[in-house]
């Protein structure tokens, strides 16, 4: 998973006052989404099409997604409230628990009036569970039910991130989970930064970057924002734009973008004027790259291929390997990664990452530069993988004057972006970025 190039769903914010059972389709959609993520372990983005099938109103779709995302941000806290009001614990994936989570998220976080939260919950359950949902909501609404100011991370991540990065990073991660983050855009032409920052009502943290907070004037779908149709920008967290910035590609150089889809970094490289070959194993995801290249009027050679078997038959000046990973660094935008079952065993991923890195290194010209990056907060997918190749591929540490945003390299010469960094400006995703040069 990676920064989405463009979400085509309009965003729902505070829910408008709901009449009686208006809003039931959105709750049904949210319920199906949560069943897919929490019941079957599907990533939220992959569950959207099937879960929201039949929900035609854009507002209902947006609200369904926003409710599901809000539940995922506050899951341990919502569950603690539910457990405090049920006679015996409900199974994690019980329909009644899912419906209660949605009703409480609507009431406590989206401003749904109490009567509407109840009226939209009850049609989703029948029989005994319906009486249970009614009773639990009644109990909680009569009492002093509140959510904490800062959500609790699931225990696994609270403990792991405190151990790996320190308690202050885990605390910042929890703070950053409370709200949907701002939308970051990367511009096709960095010379137009001021123009687009003004047109979009955003702020720029770097040349070629604009950060847009959700605001009423823009509202609606991203596709309607100024500059979308003409391909002036694409959605990409500021941290996700750093690997290409640090690869140092020049116009006319040959660059291999390995594991390229959905293509944020391919677009960045193509915008620099590099001759880009973008490879991805997923034809469907590569189609997104194709669409985005067409919209931005940029070009790259696209190859559907498994990088473990594909052979380029040539060498490249520079290679970017943005490897598949657990995506825990993008939990603010994709809170489902904190709850996906099956994502706990990292061994297959770390073996794949190391194998991809070794293959990529073989395709580099002598003197060429390779960047290995992941959007994971787990050192087993970042530092530990990079350390495995340094004996054969010397690292090129990041110099202080080439690191933007006040970032500093680690003692080993890598770059780590972590929760808490840029917090006053709205934060950034968690990335690991390493750079190597092949001896000439
Ligand atoms: C982290 S995402 C890449 C994000 C992309 N670089 C961007 O900036 O938009 C990882 C990608 O690796 C692809 N992938 C996974 N295994 C692969 C393999 N064996 N060969 C090629 N691509 C692979 C996935 O399909 C996925 O699109």
């Amino acid at each position: 998973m990676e920064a989405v190039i463009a979400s085509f769903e309009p965003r729902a914010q505070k829910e408008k006052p709901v009449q009686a059972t208006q809003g039931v389709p959105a709750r049904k959609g949210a319920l199906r989404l949560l069943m897919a993520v929490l019941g079957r372990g599907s990533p939220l983005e992959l569950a959207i099409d099937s879960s929201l099938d039949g929900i035609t109103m854009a507002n209902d779709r947006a609200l369904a997604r926003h409710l599901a995302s809000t539940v995922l941000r506050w899951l341990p806290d919502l569950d603690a409230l539910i457990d405090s009001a049920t006679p015996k614990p409900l199974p994690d994936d019980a329909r009644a628990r899912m419906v209660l989570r949605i009703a409480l998220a609507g009431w406590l976080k989206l401003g749904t009036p109490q009567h509407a939260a109840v009226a939209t919950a009850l049609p989703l359950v029948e029989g005994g569970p319906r009486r249970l949902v009614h009773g639990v909501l009644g109990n909680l609404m009569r009492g002093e039910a509140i959510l904490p100011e800062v959500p609790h991370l699931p225990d696994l991540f609270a403990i792991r991130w405190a151990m790996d990065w320190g308690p202050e990073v885990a605390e910042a991660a929890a703070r950053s989970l409370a709200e949907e983050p701002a939308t970051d855009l990367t511009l096709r032409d960095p010379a137009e930064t001021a123009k687009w920052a003004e047109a979009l009502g955003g702020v720029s943290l770097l040349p070629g970057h604009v950060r847009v907070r959700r605001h009423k004037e823009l509202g609606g779908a991203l596709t309607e924002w100024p500059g979308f149709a003409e391909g002036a920008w694409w959605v990409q967290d500021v941290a996700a734009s750093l690997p290409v910035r640090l690869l140092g590609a020049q116009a006319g150089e040959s660059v291999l973008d390995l594991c390229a889809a959905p293509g944020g970094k391919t677009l960045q490289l193509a915008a620099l004027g590099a001759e880009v070959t973008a490879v991805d194993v997923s034809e469907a995801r590569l189609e997104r790259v194709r669409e985005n290249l067409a919209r931005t009027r940029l070009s790259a050679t696209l190859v559907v291929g498994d990088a473990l078997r594909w052979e380029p038959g040539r060498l490249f000046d520079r290679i970017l390997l943005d490897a598949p990973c657990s995506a825990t660094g993008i939990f603010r935008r994709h809170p489902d990664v904190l709850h996906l079952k099956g994502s706990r065993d990292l061994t297959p991923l770390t073996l794949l990452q190391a194998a991809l890195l070794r293959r990529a290194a073989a395709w580099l010209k002598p003197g060429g530069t390779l960047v290995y990056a992941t959007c994971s907060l787990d050192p087993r997918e970042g530092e530990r993988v990079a350390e495995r190749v340094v004996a054969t591929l010397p690292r090129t540490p990041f110099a202080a004057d080439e690191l933007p945003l006040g970032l500093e390299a680690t003692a080993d010469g890598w770059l780590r972006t972590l929760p808490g960094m840029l917090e006053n400006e709205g934060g950034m995703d968690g990335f690991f970025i390493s750079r190597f040069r092949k001896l000439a």
Side-chain angles (χ1 to χ4, degrees):
M1 246 197 289
E2 232 291 61
V4 182
I5 294 291
S7 161
F8 293 89
E9 303 285 346
R11 291 177 145 183
Q13 298 193 30
K14 284 274 179 219
E15 199 179 357
K16 298 210 175 78
V18 202
Q19 306 277 321
T21 54
Q22 191 189 338
V24 171
R27 267 72 182 179
K28 280 192 180 148
L31 179 60
R32 287 202 292 262
L33 277 173
L34 289 171
M35 288 291 196
V37 174
L38 299 172
R40 299 194 294 281
S42 164
L44 185 71
E45 288 300 322
L46 294 187
I48 296 272
D49 283 350
S50 57
S51 300
L52 302 190
D53 190 30
I55 301 180
T56 49
M57 300 292 287
N59 277 345
D60 286 338
R61 293 175 69 87
L63 181 55
R65 191 179 174 148
H66 194 41
L67 277 164
S69 166
T70 306
V71 167
L72 295 169
R73 286 176 198 285
W74 294 90
L75 193 66
D77 303 293
L78 293 168
D79 279 348
L81 276 182
I82 294 166
D83 291 342
S84 73
T86 42
K88 58 179 182 182
L90 292 168
D92 264 4
D93 58 353
R95 192 177 174 95
R97 184 185 280 282
M98 297 282 188
V99 171
L100 283 165
R101 288 165 172 161
I102 294 166
L104 292 173
W107 169 44
L108 294 170
K109 294 310 298 176
L110 304 192
T112 309
Q114 287 189 359
H115 72 276
V118 176
T120 51
L122 294 182
L124 307 184
V125 265
E126 288 171 355
R130 185 178 182 141
R131 285 190 293 279
L132 178 77
V133 166
H134 202 184
V136 169
L137 288 178
N139 282 345
L140 289 171
M141 286 171 176
R142 275 191 300 276
E144 290 288 297
I146 47 165
L147 288 173
E149 213 165 292
V150 174
H152 284 88
L153 293 170
D155 287 347
L156 181 83
F157 290 97
I159 295 165
R160 180 166 282 287
W161 290 345
M163 277 170 48
D164 286 341
W165 309 114
E168 64 293 343
V169 170
E171 284 158 21
R175 284 197 297 278
S176 74
L177 196 56
E179 298 288 338
E180 277 189 41
T183 302
D184 278 359
L185 309 176
T186 297
L187 305 184
R188 187 180 53 200
D189 182 358
E192 297 186 338
T193 303
K195 167 181 155 183
W196 290 114
E198 193 187 337
L200 292 155
V203 293
S204 175
L205 301 180
L206 277 175
H209 166 268
V210 173
R211 173 161 288 187
V212 184
R213 296 198 177 272
R214 284 186 287 160
H215 59 78
K216 295 191 182 69
E217 299 83 64
L218 285 177
L222 276 172
T223 48
E224 287 157 21
W225 289 10
F228 178 85
E230 60 195 278
W233 48 258
W234 54 94
V235 176
Q236 186 176 43
D237 186 85
V238 70
S241 76
L242 297 176
V244 170
R245 290 175 189 267
L246 295 166
L247 182 64
Q250 311 288 321
E253 284 185 334
S254 59
V255 180
L256 175 63
D257 182 6
L258 200 59
C259 301
K265 300 174 188 74
T266 312
L267 300 180
Q268 267 183 289
L269 290 165
L272 290 170
E275 179 224 308
V276 187
T277 304
V279 180
D280 202 282
V281 72
S282 161
E283 191 166 1
R285 284 169 65 83
L286 212 52
E287 189 50 37
R288 305 256 308 277
V289 187
R290 198 182 310 280
E291 287 163 13
N292 282 296
L293 283 166
R295 180 174 64 83
T296 52
R297 290 177 219 96
L298 293 167
S299 64
T301 303
L302 304 188
V303 180
V304 181
D306 179 345
L308 292 176
R309 293 196 195 91
W310 176 74
E311 287 295 340
R314 58 176 290 192
L315 301 179
F316 296 88
D317 293 314
R318 295 178 201 261
I319 298 180
L320 173 68
L321 170 55
D322 184 23
C325 68
S326 61
T328 44
I330 55 175
F331 69 96
R332 303 178 312 151
R333 300 183 189 283
H334 299 277
D336 51 321
V337 301
L338 300 176
H339 307 289
L340 289 178
K341 294 185 188 124
S343 61
R344 309 274 148 91
D345 179 12
L346 287 183
T347 310
L349 266 179
T350 58
L351 291 174
L352 173 64
Q353 290 152 354
L356 290 172
L357 181 50
R358 274 195 303 274
R359 283 179 71 75
W363 300 331
L364 202 56
K365 283 184 187 171
T369 299
L370 183 154
V371 163
Y372 169 75
T374 64
C375 59
S376 162
L377 281 172
D378 198 309
R380 289 171 293 176
E381 300 182 85
E383 288 81 349
R384 297 300 91 78
V385 171
E387 281 158 9
R388 288 196 210 183
V389 297
V390 284
T392 49
L393 195 65
R395 76 189 88 191
T396 318
F398 300 111
D401 62 359
E402 62 177 331
L403 290 180
L405 304 168
L407 296 169
E408 289 174 16
T410 65
D412 287 328
W414 317 126
L415 182 60
R416 249 294 158 204
T417 60
L418 290 170
M421 292 181 177
L422 286 188
E423 193 170 12
N424 292 339
E425 286 80 28
M428 68 202 300
D429 285 348
F431 259 80
F432 169 78
I433 306 168
S434 55
R435 189 173 59 186
F436 308 88
R437 180 179 289 270
K438 196 163 195 169
L439 294 175

